[in-house]
Amino acid sequence: MDISKSLSLCMIAKNEEPFLATALESAKRVLGFKDIIVVDTGSTDKTVEIAKEHGAKVYNFEWISDFSAARNFSASKASNDWVIYIDADEEVLSVDVDELAAFMKDPNLVGALTRVELTDNITRHESRLYNRKTHQMTGTIHEQITPLADSPKKIVNLSLLIAHHGYLPEFERVELKLKRNEELLLSELKQNPTDAYTLYQLGKSYFCNERNLPVACDYFEKALTHAPGTNLEYVYDAVECYGYALINTTEYDRALELIDKYAKHYNYNPQFRFLTAHVLQNNGMLIEAVESYESCIGADTVDFSGITSYLSYFNIGVILECVEMIEDAIEMYKNCGDYEPALERLSKLTAIK
């Protein structure tokens, strides 16, 4: 199967001039797209011109505050049944083409890529690739891929890696984007006050750049209370974000209760074990924290944040330094490579010696 001729790139955009060229260039370079659909929802900058310069078919769509409507419209314009949506502020980094070709033999599957959030280098799986004959997008905001037939969604994690630029704090439009999202989410919540996914997304909005962590915690708590199960992508993400929000608001006891509750579901995940170690450390359970950090080191997973390498070594070093095991702490810091905080600790400790 020639992926470039069997898969369409579908994108919705509005005033994405700073990012769009990078997104389209990376998508064509890595995946070789022959069919690119860009649906413009009212740009006043050079978004449309940039899209056309990069070979995209551009369609106008009147914005009706419904992301799924725009997504489904873009999919309807694709030449292929298999579509993938990439946002204009994302960049495609790498893919396993053979794996992707094998995946696309079954139209009932949904493909999840790995997205690196550049605000914190944390990686998460997100469902983005589907066959439009068997699936569609639902939800007015933070839309989800949903089977057309009454059948469960079958998700396959693919070796497809992208990076997200759009929520980096230096971009002025972040606050406007988050407030727009909140308005749409609050409108949805009025229709269904116990919808776990909407509650989760509101928590994420307040969690982003630590805008309002106490409010984020409230929404995450409600989301998890109403969550239909622990095997869903967003439920795990809610647990992880909630844990860090509790730590950063010094709610250490509540954070410990959280990890105790979900350990049986997520302890296979090194990101959860790193969160666990962080919670244990803040609760003074230092031996347990070291063991949990050690379990993260060398874990076989895509990791740009450092939790499987230098961050775990560094935190072990901090604990060892606190209990005056200086020589051992120095060895841990040496394992951190050029991680600046570790270099600073090494400089101070070797100077003391």
Side-chain angles (χ1 to χ4, degrees):
M1 178 186 292
D2 185 346
I3 297 300
S4 66
K5 296 179 181 179
S6 307
L7 178 64
S8 295
L9 169 62
C10 293
M11 180 183 293
I12 61 175
K14 181 181 179 181
N15 293 333
E16 297 287 358
E17 182 179 340
F19 303 101
L20 185 57
T22 297
L24 295 178
E25 288 169 4
S26 68
K28 289 197 295 184
R29 182 180 66 252
V30 176
L31 287 163
F33 285 107
K34 298 294 190 293
D35 189 47
I36 299 174
I37 310 300
V38 173
V39 169
D40 186 77
T41 61
S43 295
T44 56
D45 63 2
K46 295 182 179 180
T47 293
V48 171
E49 294 93 320
I50 293 170
K52 290 180 178 179
E53 288 171 3
H54 287 80
K57 292 182 284 188
V58 180
Y59 299 88
N60 295 319
F61 183 84
E62 183 178 351
W63 182 242
I64 55 173
S65 298
D66 188 329
F67 280 87
S68 286
R71 297 276 189 210
N72 290 330
F73 176 77
S74 69
S76 74
K77 300 299 182 182
S79 299
N80 302 300
D81 290 329
W82 280 104
V83 299
I84 183 172
Y85 75 84
I86 303 292
D87 288 334
D89 57 1
E90 295 174 337
E91 180 179 0
V92 183
L93 302 179
S94 63
V95 66
D96 184 328
V97 175
D98 293 335
E99 176 193 67
L100 186 56
F103 160 84
M104 289 171 58
K105 291 178 180 179
D106 186 347
N108 295 305
L109 300 178
V110 171
L113 50 73
T114 299
R115 187 171 95 151
V116 184
E117 182 59 64
L118 295 182
T119 53
D120 51 18
N121 283 331
I122 293 296
T123 55
R124 294 184 175 89
H125 294 299
E126 293 194 3
S127 298
R128 297 289 192 89
L129 198 155
Y130 64 99
N131 190 297
R132 64 180 182 172
K133 286 188 174 180
T134 55
H135 296 79
Q136 66 177 353
M137 304 300 298
T138 58
T140 59
I141 184 171
H142 296 299
E143 57 283 6
Q144 300 182 79
I145 300 169
T146 306
L148 290 171
D150 186 18
S151 57
K153 184 166 65 175
K154 301 176 184 178
I155 301 173
V156 175
N157 291 331
L158 300 170
S159 300
L160 175 55
L161 183 64
I162 68 170
H164 179 229
H165 296 268
Y167 286 147
L168 289 173
E170 60 262 32
F171 293 108
E172 295 179 359
R173 67 179 193 158
V174 169
E175 192 65 24
L176 290 174
K177 192 173 182 179
L178 290 170
K179 286 183 177 179
R180 175 209 64 190
N181 291 353
E182 285 161 17
E183 290 176 3
L184 293 172
L185 288 165
L186 288 169
S187 177
E188 280 201 354
L189 198 63
K190 287 181 181 179
Q191 304 300 318
N192 189 352
T194 61
D195 184 71
Y197 188 71
T198 304
L199 290 163
Y200 153 73
Q201 289 292 357
L202 278 164
K204 287 280 285 188
S205 184
Y206 288 106
F207 181 74
C208 183
N209 297 333
E210 299 190 356
R211 294 172 65 238
N212 192 327
L213 292 181
V215 172
C217 287
D218 289 342
Y219 279 118
F220 287 139
E221 177 68 28
K222 292 175 183 176
L224 293 173
T225 298
H226 298 290
T230 58
N231 60 329
L232 300 171
E233 297 167 359
Y234 79 86
V235 176
Y236 169 73
D237 194 45
V239 171
E240 185 178 310
C241 293
Y242 187 24
Y244 284 113
L246 289 171
I247 290 171
N248 291 333
T249 53
T250 67
E251 296 276 0
Y252 303 135
D253 289 343
R254 289 175 63 191
L256 189 60
E257 291 173 1
L258 181 74
I259 63 167
D260 284 345
K261 180 177 180 179
Y262 288 96
K264 62 183 178 182
H265 302 292
Y266 301 130
N267 212 44
Y268 69 89
N269 187 335
Q271 289 182 199
F272 182 81
R273 298 199 300 273
F274 185 83
L275 168 63
T276 298
H278 213 47
V279 171
L280 293 169
Q281 183 176 352
N282 279 282
N283 277 279
M285 302 169 68
L286 301 185
I287 295 175
E288 295 89 342
V290 168
E291 291 174 349
S292 195
Y293 283 128
E294 287 177 337
S295 75
C296 299
I297 296 171
D300 184 15
T301 185
V302 176
D303 174 37
F304 287 83
S305 65
I307 65 171
T308 62
S309 54
Y310 63 89
L311 281 185
S312 288
Y313 280 122
F314 178 76
N315 283 312
I316 293 173
V318 169
I319 293 173
L320 294 174
E321 191 177 345
C322 287
V323 296
E324 299 184 355
M325 297 176 66
I326 305 302
E327 293 295 335
D328 293 323
I330 288 173
E331 290 304 310
M332 289 298 107
Y333 292 142
K334 286 180 179 178
N335 288 328
C336 296
D338 58 359
Y339 183 50
E340 190 61 34
L343 295 176
E344 291 176 3
R345 295 311 308 155
L346 278 172
S347 177
K348 290 182 179 179
L349 291 178
T350 54
I352 293 172
K353 289 178 65 181

